Amino acid sequence: MKKTLRDVDLKGKRVLMRADFNVPLDENRNITDDSRIQAAMPSIKYILENGGKLVLMSHMGRPKGEVKSELRLDPVADRLSELLGRTVKKTDDCLGEDVEETVNAMKDGDVILLENLRFHKEETKNDPDFAKKLASLGDIFVNDAFGTCHRAHASTEGVTHYLPSVAGFLVEKEIRYFEKVTKDPDEPFCLVLGGAKVADKIPLIENMLDKIDFLLIGGAMAYTFLKSRRKGVGDSRVEDEMLDTVDNIFKKASEKNVSIFLPKDHVVAQEINENAKSKVVDEDIPDGWIGLDIGPRTVKSYESALGESKTIAWNGPMGLFEMKQFSKGTRALAEYMAKLDSTTVIGGGDTAAAVNQAGLGAKMSHMSTGGGASLEYLEGKVLPGIAALNDKE
Ligand code: AMP
């Protein structure tokens, strides 16, 4: 178990907290979705209510070690100020004399936001000197940025070598749910996988086959699985180079008594665009047609496995959900899961976006805030940003 904010005395301490404020901006630099800022508020409020001096840090975009004015964090500081009802000062850099002076002048309950960490190439290189300088701005380090925990960067891993380091509430919840599904799931356990590429999901399947009872496959990756079972896939996206690997997965699954569910019907079109004429076909997809979503019969069959399960983990949409006419399968499964009492853990990235699009985020046990990080957790990898936090005694 990792130490959390609740395990440390914050009064009068400078609390250096890594958050994920990598929020989307429009062309006028207005924040179009502030959910990442909202997600950090419980930790922020707790630190302030307990008398800490809060020094926030984050990255935004990929400035690749250069100062890019369009990636400055001013819009984030403004939004934080609104949410907290007080001015949150943003410094012009994330380290240096001016920053040190600002931090030294802070009083208990004050908040500042450091400038975009990735204006320095040392951040992603996990440069020890850079990490040490960041660490000198705090007495305690809090990691509340799950989305970057799979990367050993200066602000996620480097700083932990110099400061007592604990998880914020967001990271604590991510750890709790991912530990549950990877180590101690209530059974039956159903893994739902979709998305574009089989290759991306193989390490995850390999790691989870020992733990799951059902594997439901949708999205473009389903067509490689169907082709391996000699089904007609028409012009759907298939990764021929993965066919042997997929055969092997079927073999291992049967040895381990895991039932693999594949689509029984499909929403197909002759071209990929929003207004393309689509239809539902049963079983084999004819030549000239592309599978772009699971069909209604598949939804029913997947619901039967989901309904039996006590734990569900979901990574990857069931179809090309960004286009409305191919989003129904993903939406139907999200709606069904939302009604269940079982533990439902939704991977970040596209899957979380699809569930949020349906307005169902609050109905799931856990919506992960990290796409890559949640994938690596399910692959059984050690996440350096989490491993580096202090263990509870
Ligand atoms: P991934 O990042 O691998 O989870 O893939 C997510 C992407 O896969 C999303 O952008 C989906 O639109 C896309 N996708 C899912 N199903 C299909 C499909 N049948 N054909 C093409 N793209 C798909």
Side-chain angles (χ1 to χ4, degrees), residues 42 107 117 120 131 313 354:
K107 299 189 195 66
L117 294 157
H120 294 264

PDB file of all heavy atoms in Angstrom, residues 42 107 117 120 131 313 354:
ATOM      1  N   PRO A  42     -10.248  17.662  -5.196  1.00  0.00           N
ATOM      2  CA  PRO A  42     -10.279  17.082  -3.842  1.00  0.00           C
ATOM      3  C   PRO A  42      -8.911  17.127  -3.152  1.00  0.00           C
ATOM      4  O   PRO A  42      -8.826  17.500  -1.975  1.00  0.00           O
ATOM      5  CB  PRO A  42     -10.738  15.635  -4.078  1.00  0.00           C
ATOM      6  CG  PRO A  42     -11.546  15.715  -5.343  1.00  0.00           C
ATOM      7  CD  PRO A  42     -10.868  16.758  -6.191  1.00  0.00           C
ATOM      8  N   LYS A 107       2.350  31.898   2.192  1.00  0.00           N
ATOM      9  CA  LYS A 107       1.834  31.664   3.562  1.00  0.00           C
ATOM     10  C   LYS A 107       0.996  30.384   3.545  1.00  0.00           C
ATOM     11  O   LYS A 107       0.602  29.910   2.470  1.00  0.00           O
ATOM     12  CB  LYS A 107       0.946  32.830   3.972  1.00  0.00           C
ATOM     13  CG  LYS A 107       1.676  34.150   3.991  1.00  0.00           C
ATOM     14  CD  LYS A 107       0.766  35.218   4.624  1.00  0.00           C
ATOM     15  CE  LYS A 107       1.292  36.602   4.349  1.00  0.00           C
ATOM     16  NZ  LYS A 107       1.240  36.963   2.922  1.00  0.00           N
ATOM     17  N   LEU A 117       6.067  22.266 -17.261  1.00  0.00           N
ATOM     18  CA  LEU A 117       7.333  21.552 -16.987  1.00  0.00           C
ATOM     19  C   LEU A 117       8.086  21.187 -18.264  1.00  0.00           C
ATOM     20  O   LEU A 117       9.321  21.134 -18.281  1.00  0.00           O
ATOM     21  CB  LEU A 117       7.022  20.253 -16.238  1.00  0.00           C
ATOM     22  CG  LEU A 117       6.437  20.399 -14.829  1.00  0.00           C
ATOM     23  CD1 LEU A 117       5.685  19.126 -14.453  1.00  0.00           C
ATOM     24  CD2 LEU A 117       7.540  20.690 -13.830  1.00  0.00           C
ATOM     25  N   HIS A 120      11.204  22.535 -20.429  1.00  0.00           N
ATOM     26  CA  HIS A 120      12.590  22.094 -20.201  1.00  0.00           C
ATOM     27  C   HIS A 120      12.705  20.641 -20.639  1.00  0.00           C
ATOM     28  O   HIS A 120      11.943  19.795 -20.170  1.00  0.00           O
ATOM     29  CB  HIS A 120      12.933  22.175 -18.702  1.00  0.00           C
ATOM     30  CG  HIS A 120      12.945  23.584 -18.184  1.00  0.00           C
ATOM     31  ND1 HIS A 120      14.095  24.329 -18.080  1.00  0.00           N
ATOM     32  CD2 HIS A 120      11.936  24.381 -17.759  1.00  0.00           C
ATOM     33  CE1 HIS A 120      13.799  25.535 -17.593  1.00  0.00           C
ATOM     34  NE2 HIS A 120      12.494  25.593 -17.394  1.00  0.00           N
ATOM     35  N   ALA A 131      15.355  17.491 -11.421  1.00  0.00           N
ATOM     36  CA  ALA A 131      14.430  16.932 -10.425  1.00  0.00           C
ATOM     37  C   ALA A 131      14.753  17.494  -9.037  1.00  0.00           C
ATOM     38  O   ALA A 131      13.853  17.835  -8.265  1.00  0.00           O
ATOM     39  CB  ALA A 131      14.529  15.403 -10.418  1.00  0.00           C
ATOM     40  N   ALA A 313     -13.639  -5.066 -16.587  1.00  0.00           N
ATOM     41  CA  ALA A 313     -12.660  -4.050 -16.988  1.00  0.00           C
ATOM     42  C   ALA A 313     -12.824  -3.843 -18.480  1.00  0.00           C
ATOM     43  O   ALA A 313     -12.989  -4.806 -19.240  1.00  0.00           O
ATOM     44  CB  ALA A 313     -11.244  -4.514 -16.659  1.00  0.00           C
ATOM     45  N   ALA A 354     -15.802   7.749 -24.703  1.00  0.00           N
ATOM     46  CA  ALA A 354     -17.060   7.191 -25.201  1.00  0.00           C
ATOM     47  C   ALA A 354     -18.099   7.107 -24.083  1.00  0.00           C
ATOM     48  O   ALA A 354     -19.274   7.427 -24.282  1.00  0.00           O
ATOM     49  CB  ALA A 354     -16.820   5.804 -25.805  1.00  0.00           C
TER      50      ALA A 354
END
